[in-house]
Amino acid sequence: QASKEIIEGIRRKRSSSCGRLDTAKSGRVATGGVRQDQTMICESQPGDDTQEKLDAEEAKFWPQMVWPQMASPSQQCPGFFYDPSSPDLCPTLEEWSRVRAVQGDGVYFVYGYEIAKAIAQKQNRAWGVIEARVDLFRHEENAVEWPTTYEERELPRSATKASRFMGYDFSRVNNAVWTSNEEFAYITGHVVCFMNIQTRQRRFLHGRDNGGIGAIAMSPDLIYFAAAERSINAQPNVYIYSFKTMRLYRILRRGTSRGYASVAFSPHNKNHLAALGCAPDYLLSVWDWRNERLLLKCKAYGQEIYSIRWGQFPGILTSVGVGHIRFWKMATTFTGLKLQGDLGKFGASELSDISGFVELPDGKVVTGSEYGKLLLWEGVFVKVELMRAKDNVTQADAGTSIAGCPHAGNIDVILMDRENGMVISGGDDGHLRWWPIEEIDTAEADYDNGILEFGIRMRKEIRIPPSGEHNVHPAHIQHVVVGHDEATWLIQDSRNGMIWIFDMPSGTCTSALSCHSQQVTGTVISSSYAGLVMSCGMDGTVRAFNVSQPWDNELYRDFRPLENTVGATCMDATPELVWRPKNRKSGKMVEIGKI
C-alpha cells in the first residue's frame, strides 16, 4: 500500500510539472527490477532538471517494489556479462501480470496495453484475460496509434498501385538480406523489394513513415522481418512483421530522432534487437522487441555509422563507420544493465573508414581499410597490419616476405569460412581472396623496429565477375550475403550497378539485378515504341528498358571505359522539327547532358 501511495504521488508531481501521466508518451519502462530510461529528444527545455529529479525519486522505489528479491546484494550484480535467457530481461506473461497487479492500472508499460485495457473495459472483461492474450496482439491497419496523414493535394496511397520499382540503393553499404533460400530483400526508396532468384518475380512492402526505409533485417529463425524507417518531421519507428503473412506484429518507437542506419536481431536472445540511428543523434538502442520495451540507449558516435552487428558471445556488439570501430558490451552493474562502448584506437596505423569486419573464434576482430590492408584488432588496439606474402614461401618466411597489400583499394567485405578455416576479403579491385585463420591468429608485429606489417599467404582468389564475361568492369564488391545453404552468394557491385548471384561450388556468376548505381538524373518515355523507357544517371550509363515485359527487361546499357566515365545530368527526346528527314517521328533520338 505504501508503494502504491508513493507511485501515485510521483504521478501527481509529473502531471503538474510535465503535463504527462502516461509513459506511452513519456517513454518510461520498468523491467526486471531495473528501471530503464528511454530519453526523449528535444522534449525538455535546456536547464530544466525537473524531469531528472522525478526520475531519480521514482527510481529509488522501483527495485524494492517490483521485484523485491532482486534487492539482495548477492543478486544485484551476478556477473559482468548479462545472461541472455535471464527472466529479468525477458519476463513471462505471468511476471507482467504481477507487476501490473502492483501498479494497478499499468500505465507504465508501452506495449499497446492501453488499447488492450480499453477493449477490456468495453467488453466488461477482467484485466487478467487480456494479459493472458497479450502476446497475440497485432497492430491492425486501421489502428489509431499511427493514423495515415496526407499533405495537401497528395494522392492517397489506396488510389494507386505500384507496378514495379526498377532500382537499387547502392549508397547503403549493406542493402541485401536473405529471407529464404530462394528470395532476398533490398531497399529502394520508400519500398522493400523481395525478389525470387529462381522465378525473378518481385513483391513489395511499402514504408509507413515519410522518410523512406533506413535498414532491414531478418530474424535468425526466418519468422520475423524488421524494417527500420526514416522520417522527415517526426521520430521514426522500427516495424516488425510476421514474414509469412506480412502482418504488422510489433512497433518500436522513439529509438532515434530522424532515421535508422542499421538493425540486427540477436542470435543469442530471440527477444532482443539492436538498432542504430543515423544523423543527427547516432543513437544505439537495444530492444526487447516482443514487448516493445527499450532496454538500453546511448550515443554510438559523432559521425556516420554504417552498421551494427551482434558478436559470437552474448552481450557483445560491434559498430563501424566513418573513421572508427567501437566495441560494445552489455554489462550488469550495481545500478542496472548498462551499455559500455570502447572506441578502437588505430595507434600507429593510418586512420580509416571501416565497413567490413569479422570476429575470429578467439574474440579478435579482422577489419578492412581504405588503403587495402587488413587490420587485426586485439582488445581496442590494432595488433598487426596484415599484408599479402609472396607466392611459394613457407609459413615461417611469409611474415617478412611481403609482396604488397591484400587488395588494391578499399576492403569493404570481410567474411568467415568456418568449414575451411579461412577469412574471406573483397573490395574495390573486384576480387575475393581467402586467407588462413591460423596465420592471421599467430601474426605478430615487430614493435621493436616499429614495423606493424606482417605477411600472410593467400590460398584462393576469384574475380567478380570472371574475367572476359558479361562485358563489364571488375566489380566493386561492396557487400556480400551468404545464403543459408552457404552455396549461393549475393554480391553487391556498386561499380557496374549489379547484384551478382555467385554459385560457390561451380564458381559461376549470373546477374540478378542491373540498374543505375548512382542518382538517376533523367528519363524519357518513347512515343514511337510502346513500353520503351530510357534513363541516365550520375554513374555515366544510359539504359533502355522494355516496361511492357514483366521482369528482366533491360534492353541496352551504355558501356564505357572507366577512365572515360562521366556523370549524365539530364536527358530529353529530340523534337521532330530538329530531327530530319521529316518523316522521322519524335522519340527516336535523345539528347544527353554530361559533366
Side-chain angles (χ1 to χ4, degrees):
Q1 184 64 30
S3 298
K4 292 182 180 180
E5 293 176 357
I6 291 170
I7 294 301
E8 290 298 329
I10 292 173
R11 290 178 186 167
R12 287 193 294 270
K13 291 181 182 179
R14 178 173 296 165
S15 177
S16 61
S17 61
C18 303
R20 301 191 198 94
L21 285 175
D22 193 345
T23 54
K25 297 179 181 178
S26 64
R28 301 295 185 262
V29 180
T31 63
V34 180
R35 182 182 175 280
Q36 304 297 343
D37 190 357
Q38 302 182 24
T39 305
M40 293 188 63
I41 301 172
C42 65
E43 286 281 348
S44 59
Q45 298 297 326
D48 182 11
D49 60 349
T50 304
Q51 188 63 44
E52 284 74 9
K53 292 180 179 179
L54 291 175
D55 295 342
E57 184 178 358
E58 182 181 350
K60 296 177 182 178
F61 304 100
W62 274 95
Q64 292 81 11
M65 183 190 66
V66 181
W67 272 283
Q69 66 270 24
M70 286 298 295
S72 60
S74 61
Q75 296 183 2
Q76 281 183 344
C77 187
F80 183 78
F81 297 108
Y82 82 115
D83 182 4
S85 60
S86 172
D88 304 319
L89 296 177
C90 306
T92 62
L93 294 179
E94 290 76 16
E95 289 171 330
W96 279 116
S97 302
R98 180 172 59 176
V99 176
R100 280 192 218 97
V102 174
Q103 287 303 305
D105 54 7
V107 297
Y108 276 81
F109 300 92
V110 184
Y111 183 68
Y113 293 141
E114 293 302 311
I115 296 177
K117 181 183 175 183
I119 295 174
Q121 292 176 346
K122 183 177 180 180
Q123 299 180 358
N124 294 322
R125 294 184 180 181
W127 174 245
V129 175
I130 298 297
E131 289 176 343
R133 299 173 54 194
V134 75
D135 192 49
L136 302 178
F137 173 78
R138 294 176 183 271
H139 293 273
E140 300 298 335
E141 294 296 326
N142 57 353
V144 297
E145 295 181 74
W146 44 278
T148 303
T149 59
Y150 297 99
E151 299 292 337
E152 185 179 0
R153 299 182 181 180
E154 181 181 357
L155 188 66
R157 183 181 300 172
S158 58
T160 60
K161 181 180 180 181
S163 174
R164 70 186 66 181
F165 296 88
M166 301 164 58
Y168 185 98
D169 193 349
F170 287 93
S171 66
R172 305 174 192 272
V173 177
N174 308 311
N175 194 5
V177 174
W178 283 107
T179 58
S180 68
N181 289 330
E182 297 182 350
E183 187 182 57
F184 71 97
Y186 61 92
I187 302 170
T188 174
H190 285 251
V191 177
V192 180
C193 298
F194 301 89
M195 179 179 177
N196 189 298
I197 62 174
Q198 302 294 336
T199 64
R200 306 290 171 152
Q201 291 185 348
R202 297 171 177 86
R203 55 197 181 104
F204 311 109
L205 175 67
H206 288 268
R208 298 177 180 272
D209 296 334
N210 58 11
I213 310 294
I216 54 177
M218 196 74 186
S219 64
D221 54 9
L222 303 181
I223 296 178
Y224 299 101
F225 180 82
E229 303 204 12
R230 297 175 178 176
S231 179
I232 298 173
N233 53 9
Q235 288 183 301
N237 301 323
V238 179
Y239 299 98
I240 299 178
Y241 299 85
S242 179
F243 185 71
K244 185 176 181 180
T245 60
M246 275 303 169
R247 291 188 61 187
L248 183 59
Y249 187 64
R250 295 291 186 266
I251 302 177
L252 309 182
R253 304 171 178 84
R254 297 177 179 176
T256 188
S257 60
R258 284 295 176 263
Y260 290 94
S262 179
V263 63
F265 286 92
S266 171
H268 311 291
N269 188 316
K270 62 181 181 180
N271 294 343
H272 287 184
L273 176 142
L276 196 61
C278 53
D281 52 14
Y282 303 106
L283 292 176
L284 171 60
S285 53
V286 179
W287 297 81
D288 173 10
W289 64 267
R290 288 183 182 272
N291 295 311
E292 295 184 358
R293 294 186 300 152
L294 183 57
L295 297 176
L296 298 166
K297 182 165 70 171
C298 67
K299 190 175 183 65
Y301 198 61
Q303 298 185 59
E304 184 179 359
I305 307 177
Y306 299 146
S307 64
I308 183 71
R309 196 182 304 171
W310 292 88
Q312 59 181 329
F313 303 111
I316 302 297
L317 299 101
T318 306
S319 62
V320 294
V322 173
H324 82 284
I325 180 172
R326 197 157 196 173
F327 307 97
W328 300 90
K329 297 176 183 178
M330 294 173 61
T332 303
T333 66
F334 287 102
T335 57
L337 191 67
K338 302 295 183 182
L339 196 58
Q340 301 174 348
D342 297 322
L343 195 63
K345 298 175 175 58
F346 285 85
S349 300
E350 184 180 352
L351 190 69
S352 172
D353 298 345
I354 296 177
S355 57
F357 67 95
V358 69
E359 186 178 0
L360 299 181
D362 62 351
K364 296 186 183 73
V365 175
V366 178
T367 69
S369 65
E370 293 179 279
Y371 38 83
K373 295 180 180 179
L374 295 172
L375 305 181
L376 178 63
W377 297 77
E378 187 172 29
V380 297
F381 298 97
V382 175
K383 178 184 178 182
V384 64
E385 297 177 354
L386 301 173
M387 305 292 288
R388 180 176 178 178
K390 295 179 181 179
D391 298 333
N392 303 321
V393 297
T394 63
Q395 181 176 352
D397 299 331
T400 57
S401 301
I402 297 175
C405 293
H407 290 269
N410 296 354
I411 300 179
D412 295 326
V413 173
I414 307 290
L415 303 172
M416 176 82 76
D417 183 358
R418 297 185 182 275
E419 182 178 354
N420 299 312
M422 298 284 179
V423 168
I424 307 170
S425 62
D428 188 52
D429 58 1
H431 288 87
L432 292 172
R433 295 190 171 110
W434 278 252
W435 315 91
I437 294 180
E438 180 183 0
E439 296 186 21
I440 293 175
D441 195 37
T442 57
E444 293 289 344
D446 188 357
Y447 297 107
D448 295 335
N449 297 320
I451 301 175
L452 290 178
E453 298 177 348
F454 188 91
I456 55 175
R457 297 176 295 174
M458 183 184 68
R459 297 296 178 86
K460 185 179 179 180
E461 180 183 55
I462 295 178
R463 182 186 184 272
I464 304 296
S467 181
E469 295 185 14
H470 304 284
N471 193 28
V472 295
H473 304 299
H476 177 179
I477 303 175
Q478 193 180 30
H479 180 46
V480 175
V481 190
V482 180
H484 303 289
D485 57 0
E486 298 187 355
T488 307
W489 296 14
L490 288 176
I491 301 177
Q492 182 174 315
D493 174 11
S494 62
R495 177 172 290 122
N496 298 298
M498 290 187 174
I499 303 299
W500 300 99
I501 300 176
F502 177 64
D503 185 69
M504 187 62 186
S506 63
T508 59
C509 245
T510 58
S511 175
L513 188 67
S514 178
C515 56
H516 291 284
S517 60
Q518 298 183 36
Q519 297 93 328
V520 178
T521 54
T523 58
V524 170
I525 300 176
S526 174
S527 59
S528 302
Y529 302 98
L532 177 62
V533 175
M534 298 189 69
S535 65
C536 65
M538 293 303 294
D539 59 354
T541 62
V542 177
R543 299 170 187 258
F545 303 91
N546 182 5
V547 297
S548 63
Q549 297 296 321
W551 302 118
D552 298 327
N553 46 38
E554 186 177 77
L555 303 177
Y556 169 77
R557 183 173 64 89
D558 186 22
F559 181 82
R560 295 177 180 271
L562 285 176
E563 59 272 12
N564 296 329
T565 300
V566 292
T569 59
C570 59
M571 170 183 283
D572 193 14
T574 305
E576 184 178 357
L577 294 177
V578 177
W579 181 244
R580 300 300 185 207
K582 293 183 178 181
N583 59 354
R584 296 274 188 173
K585 291 185 177 181
S586 173
K588 292 191 176 181
M589 182 176 180
V590 295
E591 298 171 341
I592 302 170
K594 294 197 173 186
I595 58 172

